[in-house]
Amino acid sequence: MNHGKHYVDSAKLIDRTKTYEPQEALELCCKTAKAKFDETVELHVRLGVDSRHADQQVRGAVVLPNGTGKNVRVVAICKGDAAKAAEAAGAQEVGDDDLIAKIQGGYLDFDVLVTTPDMMGRVGRLGKILGPRGLMPNPKAGTVTPDVGKAVTDAKAGKIEYRLDKTNIIHCPIGKVSFGPEKLTENYNALMGAIVKAKPASAKGQYIRSCVAASTMGPGVKMNTAKMI
């Protein structure tokens, strides 16, 4: 694969044979981000579990202390007092059957959808539309809850969902390059702490196999996760 000049220059700053302490790794991510936009820093965490087994799934949500740096658009499917709470918390759009119909008609201009348990029967119809986009509400992610006001507030404050993919890796943003290494490290600690707590009881051997941080256009930096285990 041919990389551009900026990437090649950035890669020279990183020792591929070394695993860096988290803050040092995130400093390198900031230094090697050469794009003209504020790049996102992502973590890629390989776990020693088998996602094919239901009892080894790793999934959950965590509020990053410094947010994600992204303006999160949240919509809520609910009614009554829950709808009022969602509006007060700053949801971009609130509705029940009307909003379900709008989404069925192609409306997808949002990042997070929250709903109340009593509406899940109807929201379930949207599975084929929302599922492939990762937008389907889920109790484990805190997006199916009686307290939709809090769910909207959390999502806007930088709550992120983490989940294992088919190759047993979790991919998650932990903020923007402009945050600087200290704030990124705080977010890293929050996410990794949540992943460690979510370790399945049936997981055997080394749980966190590897962790790599990278900015949107920059090279990956291997991280030392020994202190997390």
Side-chain angles (χ1 to χ4, degrees):
M1 182 177 177
N2 291 325
H3 289 293
K5 181 179 180 298
H6 289 317
Y7 182 98
V8 172
D9 288 345
S10 294
K12 287 175 187 169
L13 299 173
I14 296 162
D15 181 348
R16 294 279 181 183
T17 63
K18 184 177 171 183
T19 54
Y20 292 87
E21 290 306 312
Q23 186 153 339
E24 191 183 358
L26 294 167
E27 276 174 19
L28 280 168
C29 281
C30 295
K31 277 182 191 168
T32 56
K34 301 284 179 68
K36 289 178 181 173
F37 60 92
D38 192 6
E39 295 182 46
T40 296
V41 176
E42 280 209 353
L43 276 194
H44 308 278
V45 188
R46 182 183 292 280
L47 299 183
V49 295
D50 188 341
S51 62
R52 291 172 299 180
H53 298 297
D55 63 349
Q56 291 194 30
Q57 288 294 329
V58 178
R59 180 176 188 175
V62 61
V63 178
L64 298 178
N66 300 300
T68 60
K70 183 180 178 186
N71 178 26
V72 183
R73 301 163 301 171
V74 189
V75 298
I77 295 176
C78 50
K79 49 192 177 183
D81 289 343
K84 288 176 191 164
E87 279 173 7
Q92 164 174 294
E93 190 147 350
V94 181
D96 46 68
D97 289 334
D98 56 329
L99 184 48
I100 290 171
K102 188 173 176 180
I103 292 168
Q104 283 173 323
Y107 171 66
L108 287 164
D109 194 20
F110 54 89
D111 304 300
V112 178
L113 190 153
V114 300
T115 189
T116 45
D118 61 306
M119 295 297 291
M120 266 312 283
R122 299 181 207 178
V123 174
R125 298 179 214 150
L126 301 173
K128 284 183 181 172
I129 300 168
L130 300 176
R133 293 172 175 83
L135 292 169
M136 192 68 185
N138 181 286
K140 280 189 179 175
T143 44
V144 179
T145 171
D147 192 350
V148 287
K150 183 176 185 302
V152 172
T153 302
D154 284 350
K156 290 178 78 66
K159 186 175 192 175
I160 58 164
E161 186 180 351
Y162 57 88
R163 61 188 300 182
L164 210 56
D165 71 8
K166 287 177 182 170
T167 60
N168 305 318
I169 299 175
I170 289 172
H171 308 272
C172 265
I174 56 165
K176 299 283 187 181
V177 165
S178 60
F179 283 19
E182 285 184 12
K183 285 187 175 179
L184 288 170
T185 302
E186 287 172 7
N187 282 357
Y188 160 86
N189 287 333
L191 174 60
M192 291 299 286
I195 291 172
V196 169
K197 273 188 188 166
K199 179 181 179 179
S202 57
K204 299 284 185 281
Q206 188 180 352
Y207 178 51
I208 297 174
R209 294 280 173 87
S210 66
C211 179
V212 174
S215 60
T216 308
M217 308 293 285
V221 186
K222 292 179 193 168
M223 304 175 86
N224 178 7
T225 58
K227 287 175 186 166
M228 282 290 168
I229 301 165

